[in-house]
Amino acid sequence: MSTLDPSFSQHLQEDEITPDQYGDFISSLPTTGFLSQYRGFWFPTMFMQGVLSLQKHFQAHDTDILMMTPPKVGTTWLKAILFAILNRKHHLELQKHPLLTNNPHVLVPYLDLHLYNKKEVPDLTSCPSPRLFSAHLPYTLLPTSAKNSKCKIVYLYRNPKDTFVSLWHFLEKIGMTTDLFEETFDKFCQGVKKPQRILCLRYEELKEQPTTHLKRIADFLGCPFSSEEETKGTINDISRLCSFDYLSKLEVNKSGTTHNMKNESLFRRGEVGDWVNYLTPQMLEKLDNIFKEKFHGTELKF
Ligand code: A3P
């Protein structure tokens, strides 16, 4: 198919699309230019191919651990935490820990944004088991093999007001928006997603009681901290290693780049409630109303 058919995206299933049709398929999606709407969710158009290839080709293993996060909710932090918990036996010497010299996005790759966006079928055979991947996908768009497998999924969410403020600063910093604050806010309100619950973590709770939640995560991942580790202070060590203050001051995160992006753009303030400095009363009311409507009757707290 070479001409754009607006119904193209509605009739084809992803596994029916061949790589030479991706361009036409993506062009037929509703778009704002920078973003494309696919199955009810907005994605940066430049990553759409990765989303499609991932859905078509990714074969989950039962031992896989998938981190699912919307953008700007603390993905970088959670990558550091999961990597440090899972690999703690290999990195007993904290002075030589890979997090000291690698940005968390290098240690835990994105399936959609990086691996499958670069290559239709990336070679994942050298990934150590359990494989730890991340994706900016809602649960409904997980590849079928992942839904059908026993792989573990960790979901992180965050107060949408802080998420929006974080997103705004990030887009500005990496030069990906020319929109005004108010225009970006309106687009954000249009794209609010419904979180799914697997192991569901909340940024604000992680901030408040990191060690409690690190224990919860380790239990969920099937590698609970032993009483010896608890006594030795391993949980506190990991918590400190992954903290905003520690990671953001490392040279790799101050001056390094990952996938052509400056690592420093991933670390801004790392606080709860910074939205009070940015959102107008009208914006607050608008967001509050959306959240009341969308999350009414759920157990999610913001
Ligand atoms: P702010 O912009 O509010 O400071 P993501 O990693 O999903 O892109 O999310 C980015 C947000 O997480 C930014 O929030 C960033 O400062 C914050 N962040 C990054 N590392 C963190 C850490 N170790 N602890 C807490 N927050 C962190």
Side-chain angles (χ1 to χ4, degrees):
M1 174 174 242
S2 56
T3 50
L4 299 187
D5 171 357
S7 63
F8 188 34
S9 59
Q10 283 147 34
H11 296 310
L12 269 182
Q13 292 298 316
E14 286 65 33
D15 48 9
E16 295 169 28
I17 308 171
T18 57
D20 61 318
Q21 291 177 316
Y22 279 158
D24 283 330
F25 180 79
I26 294 166
S27 305
S28 71
L29 297 171
T31 181
T32 64
F34 169 55
L35 297 173
S36 295
Q37 194 184 43
Y38 173 60
R39 302 211 167 191
F41 296 91
W42 290 97
F43 295 92
T45 308
M46 64 195 281
F47 298 129
M48 265 313 301
Q49 171 156 347
V51 173
L52 297 175
S53 302
L54 164 65
Q55 289 194 298
K56 186 167 174 183
H57 298 292
F58 180 66
Q59 290 306 319
H61 297 176
D62 283 347
T63 48
D64 284 349
I65 295 156
L66 303 183
M67 267 184 57
M68 310 285 289
T69 59
K72 311 323 291 175
V73 301
T75 312
T76 316
W77 186 22
L78 187 63
K79 284 189 179 189
I81 290 175
L82 296 191
F83 180 87
I85 288 181
L86 280 171
N87 294 289
R88 63 188 190 273
K89 301 265 154 54
H90 307 303
H91 305 297
L92 293 173
E93 274 189 76
L94 286 184
Q95 293 82 348
K96 292 189 186 161
H97 200 284
L99 275 166
L100 302 192
T101 46
N102 296 277
N103 180 265
H105 293 283
V106 171
L107 301 173
V108 185
Y110 281 110
L111 286 171
D112 47 352
L113 272 50
H114 296 144
L115 295 172
Y116 283 87
N117 206 47
K118 263 205 211 132
K119 224 170 168 207
E120 167 80 3
V121 188
D123 181 6
L124 306 179
T125 49
S126 61
C127 298
S129 178
R131 304 186 305 178
L132 173 59
F133 298 120
S134 117
H136 277 330
L137 287 182
Y139 180 80
T140 46
L141 292 187
L142 254 192
T144 318
S145 80
K147 283 187 188 151
N148 292 343
S149 79
K150 293 184 188 145
C151 74
K152 293 191 166 130
I153 298 169
V154 182
Y155 196 96
L156 178 68
Y157 71 105
R158 184 183 191 187
N159 181 317
K161 294 165 192 161
D162 280 334
T163 305
F164 167 68
V165 169
S166 184
L167 177 70
W168 161 254
H169 284 284
F170 178 73
L171 292 177
E172 268 231 303
K173 191 151 195 171
I174 63 170
M176 272 189 134
T177 183
T178 50
D179 287 351
L180 297 173
F181 187 66
E182 291 73 14
E183 289 167 350
T184 311
F185 179 78
D186 284 338
K187 286 182 185 161
F188 181 79
C189 287
Q190 285 163 25
V192 164
K193 302 173 186 180
K194 181 179 175 213
Q196 304 291 325
R197 300 176 65 229
I198 309 290
L199 169 65
C200 218
L201 299 167
R202 188 155 69 99
Y203 183 95
E204 291 75 14
E205 288 174 346
L206 257 183
K207 267 307 257 197
E208 203 177 317
Q209 293 187 305
T211 49
T212 306
H213 292 284
L214 257 57
K215 276 165 81 171
R216 211 177 133 213
I217 294 169
D219 288 347
F220 174 78
L221 296 181
C223 53
F225 291 104
S226 63
S227 42
E228 191 195 346
E229 284 179 310
E230 293 211 22
T231 319
K232 244 179 25 190
T234 305
I235 310 178
N236 279 327
D237 286 347
I238 292 180
S239 172
R240 211 170 308 119
L241 173 71
C242 300
S243 69
F244 182 87
D245 281 348
Y246 194 86
L247 286 184
S248 62
K249 287 184 187 133
L250 292 173
E251 202 45 48
V252 62
N253 294 325
K254 284 199 292 190
S255 57
T257 54
T258 307
H259 306 296
N260 295 327
M261 199 179 59
K262 287 187 176 168
N263 293 342
E264 60 152 14
S265 58
L266 298 162
F267 301 89
R268 193 182 63 90
R269 298 193 62 172
E271 285 172 9
V272 172
D274 189 34
W275 57 265
V276 291
N277 299 312
Y278 295 93
L279 300 186
T280 64
Q282 291 79 5
M283 287 173 161
L284 284 184
E285 194 186 339
K286 186 167 178 178
L287 259 190
D288 281 341
N289 285 339
I290 293 175
F291 275 78
K292 256 186 230 147
E293 183 197 320
K294 301 268 179 201
F295 295 99
H296 175 75
T298 73
E299 288 170 21
L300 292 176
K301 294 180 227 143
F302 293 101

